[in-house]
């Protein structure tokens, strides 16, 4: 029997987003494993916060977990956008 949160469109999109972040972070330059790990965990935490918030009984509790999930988006977008800007891309050495 599926959990109620699995039916939520926002949860399904969060899972899809986490997959896309994991795929995109694989292309980061060597030496950025610490950042890749943080991004992947943050992306998965968005879906986890949606799931946990959906299981809460009070509206303020749900709102808190959903807000944490939303805040994680800012943490994820900054490094990804930064790597898209040429001046922030590290030099690749062989």
């Amino acid at each position: 029997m599926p959990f109620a949160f699995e039916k939520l469109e926002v949860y399904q999109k969060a899972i899809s987003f986490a997959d896309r972040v994991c795929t995109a972070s694989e292309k980061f330059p060597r030496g950025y494993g610490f950042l890749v790990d943080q991004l992947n965990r943050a992306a998965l935490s968005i879906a986890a916060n949606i799931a946990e918030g959906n299981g809460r009984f009070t509206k303020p509790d749900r709102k808190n977990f959903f807000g944490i999930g939303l805040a994680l988006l800012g943490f994820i977008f900054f490094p990804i956008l930064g790597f898209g800007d040429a001046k922030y891309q590290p030099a690749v050495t062989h």
Side-chain angles (χ1 to χ4, degrees), residues 8-84:
L8 296 174
E9 184 178 350
V10 68
Y11 174 80
Q12 294 168 6
K13 287 185 177 191
I15 293 294
S16 176
F17 177 74
D19 288 340
R20 292 174 64 192
V21 168
C22 290
T23 300
S25 66
E26 288 175 355
K27 298 174 184 162
F28 279 22
R30 189 175 182 181
Y32 284 84
F34 66 95
L35 185 57
V36 170
D37 183 52
Q38 285 181 335
L39 291 173
N40 291 341
R41 285 187 288 125
L44 291 171
S45 290
I46 294 171
N49 276 290
I50 291 169
E52 189 166 354
N54 192 58
R56 297 297 172 151
F57 295 107
T58 66
K59 197 171 195 170
D61 255 356
R62 284 192 300 274
K63 187 177 178 181
N64 180 50
F65 280 95
F66 297 156
I68 292 169
L70 183 61
L72 287 166
L73 284 173
F75 175 80
I76 293 168
F77 281 126
F78 175 74
I80 290 176
L81 293 175
F83 275 107

